[in-house]
Amino acid sequence: MSKLRVNAFTLSLDGFGAGPHQSLNTPLGVGGENLHKWMIKTRSFHQMIGKDGGTTDTDEAFAARSFENVGAWILGRNMFGPIRGEWPDDSWKGWWGNNPPYHVPTFVLTHYKRDPIVMEGGTTFYFVTDGIHSALEQAKAAAGGKDVRVGGGVSTVRQYLQEQLIDEMHLAISPLLLGSGEHLFAGLDMLKLGYQCTEQVATTDATHVIIKRKS
């Protein structure tokens, strides 16, 4: 059965998924790039950016799991780009160049209409203006029975958690304090929402935690 998943979503030790003052120059917020030390060394990440090598350790095992059986993605608009309001033109096509790392249909939540963008490598960006439920319905249809992965950002993950729609979530807790930014769990009672921790594995650069919704 198709699942809605969050994978390889990195949080600081104090619960922030991005630092403050996100912008074109600091897309993950001030200090946010340091969250992903565990990921950027892995073989999966190296392959994603077209490089050889990378580690084959526990961090790599979780990184590789994150791409398994994914048939579609859902992204918040901030994950697609720094532009706010109406799209000024069609020039911005994401952070990742001509060949984004998704390789499947990818649905971007926004309030502003835009035509789909066909990219290299199998990624097509679709812009959804009628909310998270519509995006999920479209993504599941496009996934063809495979899972749908929510890529973020924090606000998007929180919306799906509040609606108890996420089936499984892999968080990588980085040993880093950000102090401020976008907090994933603020105001959310995960127990009342029906979630429980089912797995945890610590490495030098992260503690990997699996959270699942009780059936």
Side-chain angles (χ1 to χ4, degrees):
M1 183 177 177
S2 177
K3 295 179 181 178
L4 183 64
R5 296 164 29 197
V6 173
N7 286 91
F9 196 84
T10 308
L11 294 179
S12 66
L13 196 59
D14 46 352
F16 296 101
H21 312 303
Q22 291 173 270
S23 68
L24 180 61
N25 294 324
T26 55
L28 298 174
V30 176
E33 69 279 358
N34 297 321
L35 291 172
H36 302 279
K37 184 179 178 181
W38 74 271
M39 168 70 86
I40 61 177
K41 65 182 184 180
T42 63
R43 181 172 60 186
S44 290
F45 184 81
H46 282 222
Q47 291 175 344
M48 189 171 72
I49 60 175
K51 292 185 177 180
D52 295 326
T55 62
T56 57
D57 54 8
T58 299
D59 290 323
E60 159 59 18
F62 277 97
R65 279 170 62 176
S66 73
F67 290 100
E68 293 174 354
N69 198 45
V70 175
W73 286 68
I74 297 173
L75 305 178
R77 179 163 172 173
N78 291 2
M79 286 288 293
F80 179 75
I83 301 165
R84 303 295 181 264
E86 294 279 1
W87 302 100
D89 51 47
D90 293 330
S91 60
W92 181 265
K93 297 181 180 179
W95 299 103
W96 316 273
N98 293 325
N99 191 353
Y102 303 109
H103 310 302
V104 291
T106 301
F107 297 83
V108 180
L109 294 162
T110 178
H111 295 295
Y112 301 92
K113 292 182 178 181
R114 184 171 177 179
D115 292 334
I117 306 173
V118 179
M119 306 293 287
E120 296 176 10
T123 301
T124 298
F125 291 113
Y126 298 93
F127 298 90
V128 181
T129 59
D130 50 351
I132 65 170
H133 294 277
S134 176
L136 180 56
E137 182 179 345
Q138 293 179 58
K140 281 190 172 182
K146 292 185 176 182
D147 294 341
V148 176
R149 181 172 169 182
V150 179
V154 170
S155 175
T156 298
V157 175
R158 284 174 56 86
Q159 288 179 69
Y160 281 106
L161 282 174
Q162 287 170 325
E163 295 294 316
Q164 299 173 286
L165 292 170
I166 291 174
D167 298 295
E168 181 176 313
M169 183 161 55
H170 161 227
L171 302 176
I173 312 300
S174 172
L176 172 72
L177 296 170
L178 285 180
S180 62
E182 293 190 63
H183 201 286
L184 181 62
F185 293 122
L188 294 180
D189 188 328
M190 294 294 286
L191 286 175
K192 285 187 177 181
L193 289 171
Y195 291 94
Q196 61 183 349
C197 179
T198 61
E199 183 181 350
Q200 62 176 25
V201 181
T203 69
T204 300
D205 295 314
T207 297
H208 298 279
V209 176
I210 302 296
I211 296 172
K212 294 184 178 181
R213 182 167 53 83
K214 298 176 185 178
S215 56

